[in-house]
Amino acid sequence: MTYEEFADSRLTALLRYAVMLTGDPHQAQDLVQETMVRAQLNWRRVARADSPERYVRRMLTNQYVDWRRGSWVRRVLLRAETDDAVPVSADHAQNAVDRDQVWTWLSRLPRRQRATLVLRYYEDLPDAEIAEILGCAVGTVRSSISRALATLRAEYVEA
């Protein structure tokens, strides 16, 4: 697979993932752009990997965790898909407030914990694959998810 083929087929998915990590579409675009530049410069190594997509996703995640450029704008409205199991309020303003509140809580999490939550619940990856992407042990992934969820639960109770 060439770099161009990879970029054509996976760029949209990487951008969605980056939006979930950053909470901001513009920051996500910057993050993906920087990651893809690095992937192109190291394409031989990326292409030799068992799964180039996992390799680039790991690059993107590491870039996000290490990124120190100024303040991050964390507020963004999600395009909520309706789920029959989740009660939907007819009050659109309240729905927007609720989404903003969730983003605020997520933005307070350390980057690695937020990355583990996104990889687990948005990307639907198993612990072993999350550990590979983050370069840590499976137990570390589980404890990061547990700590993140405990923090979110505490924020929810206080609200």
Side-chain angles (χ1 to χ4, degrees), residues 81-127:
E81 296 179 19
T82 59
D83 184 354
D84 295 336
V86 178
V88 177
S89 170
D91 184 359
H92 297 294
Q94 185 60 46
N95 289 343
V97 169
D98 291 344
R99 281 192 304 270
D100 283 348
Q101 184 62 55
V102 170
W103 274 110
T104 299
W105 292 337
L106 287 171
S107 71
R108 293 181 188 151
L109 292 174
R111 291 175 185 242
R112 190 166 281 274
Q113 286 182 9
R114 184 171 179 175
T116 58
L117 288 181
V118 169
L119 288 166
R120 164 60 62 75
Y121 297 107
Y122 183 74
E123 293 289 322
D124 199 30
L125 298 178
D127 292 342

Coordinates of all heavy atoms in Angstrom, one line a residue, residues 81-127:
E81 N -26.4 11.0 17.8 CA -27.2 10.1 17.1 C -28.2 9.6 18.1 O -27.9 9.3 19.3 CB -26.4 8.9 16.6 CG -25.4 9.3 15.5 CD -24.6 8.1 15.0 OE1 -25.0 7.0 15.2 OE2 -23.6 8.4 14.4
T82 N -29.5 9.5 17.8 CA -30.5 9.1 18.7 C -30.3 7.6 19.0 O -30.0 6.8 18.1 CB -31.9 9.3 18.2 OG1 -32.1 8.6 16.9 CG2 -32.1 10.8 18.0
D83 N -30.5 7.2 20.2 CA -30.4 5.9 20.7 C -31.7 5.6 21.5 O -32.0 6.3 22.4 CB -29.2 5.7 21.6 CG -29.0 4.3 22.0 OD1 -29.8 3.4 21.7 OD2 -28.0 4.0 22.7
D84 N -32.4 4.6 21.1 CA -33.7 4.3 21.7 C -33.6 4.0 23.2 O -34.5 4.2 23.9 CB -34.4 3.1 21.0 CG -34.8 3.4 19.6 OD1 -34.9 4.6 19.3 OD2 -34.9 2.5 18.7
A85 N -32.4 3.5 23.6 CA -32.2 3.1 25.0 C -32.0 4.4 25.9 O -32.1 4.4 27.1 CB -31.0 2.2 25.1
V86 N -31.6 5.5 25.2 CA -31.2 6.7 25.9 C -32.4 7.7 25.8 O -32.8 8.0 24.6 CB -29.9 7.4 25.4 CG1 -29.7 8.7 26.1 CG2 -28.8 6.4 25.5
P87 N -33.0 8.2 26.9 CA -34.1 9.1 26.7 C -33.6 10.4 26.1 O -32.6 10.9 26.4 CB -34.6 9.3 28.2 CG -33.5 8.8 29.0 CD -32.7 7.9 28.2
V88 N -34.4 10.9 25.1 CA -34.1 12.1 24.4 C -35.0 13.2 24.8 O -36.2 13.0 24.8 CB -34.1 11.8 22.9 CG1 -33.9 13.1 22.1 CG2 -33.2 10.7 22.4
S89 N -34.5 14.3 25.2 CA -35.3 15.4 25.7 C -35.7 16.2 24.4 O -35.0 16.3 23.5 CB -34.5 16.3 26.6 OG -35.1 17.5 26.9
A90 N -36.9 16.8 24.5 CA -37.4 17.6 23.4 C -36.7 19.0 23.5 O -36.8 19.8 22.6 CB -38.9 17.7 23.5
D91 N -36.1 19.3 24.7 CA -35.5 20.6 24.9 C -34.1 20.6 24.3 O -33.1 20.1 24.9 CB -35.5 20.9 26.4 CG -34.9 22.2 26.7 OD1 -34.6 23.0 25.8 OD2 -34.9 22.6 27.9
H92 N -34.0 21.1 23.1 CA -32.7 21.1 22.4 C -31.6 22.0 23.1 O -30.4 21.6 23.1 CB -32.9 21.6 21.0 CG -33.7 20.7 20.1 ND1 -33.4 19.5 19.8 CD2 -35.0 21.0 19.6 CE1 -34.4 18.9 19.1 NE2 -35.3 19.8 19.0
A93 N -32.1 23.0 23.8 CA -31.1 23.9 24.5 C -30.5 23.0 25.7 O -29.3 23.1 25.9 CB -31.8 25.1 25.0
Q94 N -31.3 22.3 26.4 CA -30.8 21.5 27.5 C -29.9 20.4 26.9 O -28.9 20.1 27.6 CB -32.0 20.8 28.3 CG -31.5 20.1 29.5 CD -30.8 21.0 30.5 OE1 -31.2 22.1 30.8 NE2 -29.6 20.5 30.9
N95 N -30.2 19.8 25.8 CA -29.3 18.8 25.2 C -28.0 19.4 24.9 O -26.9 18.8 25.1 CB -29.9 18.2 23.9 CG -31.1 17.3 24.2 OD1 -31.3 16.9 25.3 ND2 -31.9 17.1 23.1
A96 N -27.9 20.6 24.4 CA -26.7 21.3 24.1 C -25.9 21.6 25.4 O -24.7 21.4 25.4 CB -26.9 22.6 23.3
V97 N -26.6 22.0 26.4 CA -26.0 22.2 27.7 C -25.4 20.9 28.3 O -24.2 20.9 28.8 CB -27.0 22.9 28.7 CG1 -26.4 22.9 30.1 CG2 -27.3 24.3 28.3
D98 N -26.1 19.8 28.2 CA -25.7 18.5 28.6 C -24.4 18.1 27.9 O -23.4 17.6 28.5 CB -26.8 17.5 28.5 CG -27.9 17.7 29.5 OD1 -27.8 18.5 30.4 OD2 -29.0 17.1 29.2
R99 N -24.4 18.2 26.6 CA -23.2 17.9 25.8 C -22.0 18.7 26.2 O -20.9 18.2 26.3 CB -23.5 18.0 24.3 CG -24.3 16.8 23.7 CD -24.3 16.8 22.2 NE -24.8 18.1 21.7 CZ -26.1 18.3 21.4 NH1 -27.0 17.4 21.6 NH2 -26.5 19.5 20.9
D100 N -22.3 20.0 26.3 CA -21.2 20.9 26.7 C -20.6 20.5 28.1 O -19.4 20.5 28.3 CB -21.6 22.3 26.8 CG -21.7 23.0 25.4 OD1 -21.2 22.4 24.5 OD2 -22.3 24.1 25.3
Q101 N -21.5 20.1 29.0 CA -21.1 19.7 30.3 C -20.2 18.4 30.2 O -19.2 18.3 30.9 CB -22.3 19.4 31.2 CG -21.9 19.1 32.7 CD -21.1 20.2 33.3 OE1 -21.6 21.3 33.4 NE2 -19.9 19.9 33.8
V102 N -20.6 17.4 29.4 CA -19.8 16.2 29.3 C -18.4 16.6 28.7 O -17.4 16.1 29.1 CB -20.6 15.2 28.4 CG1 -19.7 14.0 28.0 CG2 -21.8 14.7 29.1
W103 N -18.4 17.4 27.7 CA -17.1 17.8 27.1 C -16.2 18.5 28.2 O -15.0 18.3 28.2 CB -17.3 18.8 25.9 CG -17.5 18.0 24.6 CD1 -18.6 17.9 23.9 CD2 -16.5 17.2 24.0 NE1 -18.4 17.1 22.8 CE2 -17.1 16.6 22.8 CE3 -15.2 16.9 24.2 CZ2 -16.5 15.8 22.0 CZ3 -14.5 16.0 23.4 CH2 -15.2 15.5 22.2
T104 N -16.9 19.3 29.0 CA -16.1 20.0 30.1 C -15.5 19.0 31.0 O -14.3 19.1 31.4 CB -17.0 21.0 30.9 OG1 -17.5 22.0 30.0 CG2 -16.3 21.6 32.0
W105 N -16.3 18.0 31.4 CA -15.7 16.9 32.3 C -14.6 16.2 31.6 O -13.6 15.9 32.2 CB -16.9 16.0 32.7 CG -17.9 16.6 33.6 CD1 -17.8 17.7 34.4 CD2 -19.2 16.1 33.7 NE1 -18.9 17.9 35.0 CE2 -19.9 17.0 34.7 CE3 -20.0 15.1 33.2 CZ2 -21.2 16.8 35.1 CZ3 -21.3 14.9 33.6 CH2 -21.9 15.8 34.5
L106 N -14.8 15.8 30.3 CA -13.8 15.1 29.6 C -12.5 15.9 29.5 O -11.4 15.4 29.5 CB -14.3 14.7 28.2 CG -15.3 13.5 28.2 CD1 -15.9 13.4 26.8 CD2 -14.7 12.2 28.6
S107 N -12.7 17.2 29.3 CA -11.5 18.0 29.1 C -10.6 18.1 30.3 O -9.4 18.4 30.3 CB -11.9 19.4 28.6 OG -12.5 20.1 29.7
R108 N -11.2 17.8 31.5 CA -10.5 17.9 32.8 C -9.6 16.6 33.0 O -8.8 16.6 33.9 CB -11.4 18.1 33.9 CG -12.1 19.4 33.9 CD -13.0 19.6 35.1 NE -13.8 20.8 35.0 CZ -15.0 21.0 35.5 NH1 -15.6 20.0 36.2 NH2 -15.7 22.1 35.3
L109 N -9.9 15.6 32.2 CA -9.2 14.3 32.4 C -7.8 14.5 31.9 O -7.5 15.2 30.9 CB -9.8 13.2 31.7 CG -11.2 12.7 32.2 CD1 -11.8 11.7 31.2 CD2 -11.1 12.1 33.6
P110 N -6.8 13.8 32.5 CA -5.5 13.8 31.8 C -5.6 13.2 30.4 O -6.4 12.4 30.1 CB -4.7 12.9 32.8 CG -5.4 12.9 34.1 CD -6.8 13.1 33.7
R111 N -4.7 13.7 29.6 CA -4.8 13.2 28.2 C -4.7 11.7 28.0 O -5.4 11.2 27.1 CB -3.6 13.9 27.4 CG -3.8 15.4 27.2 CD -2.6 16.0 26.5 NE -2.7 17.4 26.5 CZ -2.8 18.1 25.4 NH1 -2.8 17.6 24.3 NH2 -3.0 19.4 25.5
R112 N -3.9 11.0 28.7 CA -3.8 9.6 28.5 C -5.1 8.9 28.9 O -5.6 8.0 28.3 CB -2.6 9.0 29.3 CG -2.3 7.6 29.0 CD -1.0 7.2 29.6 NE 0.1 7.6 28.7 CZ 0.6 6.9 27.7 NH1 0.0 5.8 27.3 NH2 1.6 7.3 27.0
Q113 N -5.7 9.4 30.0 CA -7.0 8.8 30.4 C -8.1 9.1 29.4 O -8.9 8.2 29.1 CB -7.5 9.4 31.8 CG -6.7 8.8 33.0 CD -7.1 9.4 34.3 OE1 -8.2 10.0 34.4 NE2 -6.4 9.1 35.3
R114 N -8.1 10.3 28.9 CA -9.1 10.6 27.9 C -8.8 9.8 26.6 O -9.8 9.3 26.0 CB -9.0 12.1 27.5 CG -10.0 12.5 26.5 CD -10.1 14.0 26.3 NE -11.1 14.3 25.3 CZ -11.4 15.5 25.0 NH1 -10.8 16.5 25.6 NH2 -12.3 15.8 24.1
A115 N -7.6 9.6 26.2 CA -7.3 8.7 25.1 C -7.8 7.3 25.3 O -8.3 6.7 24.4 CB -5.8 8.7 24.8
T116 N -7.6 6.8 26.5 CA -8.1 5.4 26.8 C -9.6 5.3 26.7 O -10.1 4.3 26.1 CB -7.6 4.9 28.1 OG1 -8.1 5.7 29.2 CG2 -6.1 4.7 28.2
L117 N -10.3 6.3 27.1 CA -11.8 6.3 27.0 C -12.2 6.4 25.6 O -13.1 5.7 25.1 CB -12.4 7.5 27.8 CG -12.4 7.4 29.3 CD1 -13.0 8.6 29.9 CD2 -13.0 6.1 29.8
V118 N -11.6 7.2 24.8 CA -11.9 7.4 23.4 C -11.6 6.1 22.6 O -12.4 5.6 21.8 CB -11.2 8.6 22.7 CG1 -11.3 8.5 21.2 CG2 -11.7 9.9 23.3
L119 N -10.5 5.5 22.9 CA -10.1 4.2 22.2 C -11.1 3.1 22.6 O -11.5 2.3 21.8 CB -8.7 3.8 22.5 CG -7.6 4.7 21.9 CD1 -6.3 4.4 22.5 CD2 -7.6 4.4 20.4
R120 N -11.5 3.1 23.9 CA -12.4 2.0 24.3 C -13.8 2.2 23.9 O -14.5 1.4 23.2 CB -12.4 1.9 25.8 CG -13.5 1.2 26.5 CD -13.6 -0.3 26.1 NE -12.5 -1.1 26.4 CZ -12.2 -1.5 27.6 NH1 -13.0 -1.2 28.6 NH2 -11.0 -2.1 27.8
Y121 N -14.4 3.4 24.2 CA -15.8 3.6 24.0 C -16.2 4.2 22.6 O -17.3 4.1 22.2 CB -16.4 4.4 25.1 CG -16.3 3.7 26.4 CD1 -15.3 4.1 27.4 CD2 -17.0 2.6 26.7 CE1 -15.2 3.4 28.6 CE2 -16.9 1.8 27.8 CZ -16.0 2.3 28.8 OH -15.8 1.5 29.9
Y122 N -15.3 4.9 22.0 CA -15.6 5.5 20.7 C -15.0 4.6 19.6 O -15.7 4.3 18.6 CB -15.0 6.9 20.5 CG -15.3 7.6 19.2 CD1 -16.6 8.0 19.0 CD2 -14.4 7.7 18.2 CE1 -17.0 8.6 17.8 CE2 -14.7 8.3 17.0 CZ -16.0 8.7 16.8 OH -16.3 9.3 15.6
E123 N -13.8 4.2 19.7 CA -13.2 3.3 18.7 C -13.5 1.8 18.9 O -13.3 1.0 18.1 CB -11.7 3.5 18.7 CG -11.2 4.9 18.2 CD -11.4 5.1 16.7 OE1 -11.2 4.1 15.9 OE2 -11.8 6.2 16.3
D124 N -14.0 1.5 20.1 CA -14.5 0.1 20.5 C -13.3 -0.9 20.4 O -13.5 -2.0 19.8 CB -15.7 -0.3 19.6 CG -16.4 -1.4 20.2 OD1 -16.4 -1.6 21.5 OD2 -17.0 -2.2 19.4
L125 N -12.2 -0.5 20.9 CA -11.0 -1.4 20.8 C -10.9 -2.2 22.1 O -11.2 -1.7 23.2 CB -9.7 -0.6 20.6 CG -9.7 0.2 19.3 CD1 -8.4 1.0 19.2 CD2 -9.8 -0.7 18.1
P126 N -10.3 -3.4 22.0 CA -10.1 -4.2 23.2 C -8.8 -3.6 24.0 O -8.0 -2.9 23.4 CB -9.8 -5.6 22.7 CG -9.3 -5.4 21.3 CD -10.0 -4.1 20.8
D127 N -8.7 -4.0 25.2 CA -7.6 -3.6 26.1 C -6.2 -3.8 25.5 O -5.4 -2.9 25.5 CB -7.7 -4.2 27.5 CG -8.9 -3.8 28.3 OD1 -9.5 -2.8 27.9 OD2 -9.2 -4.5 29.2

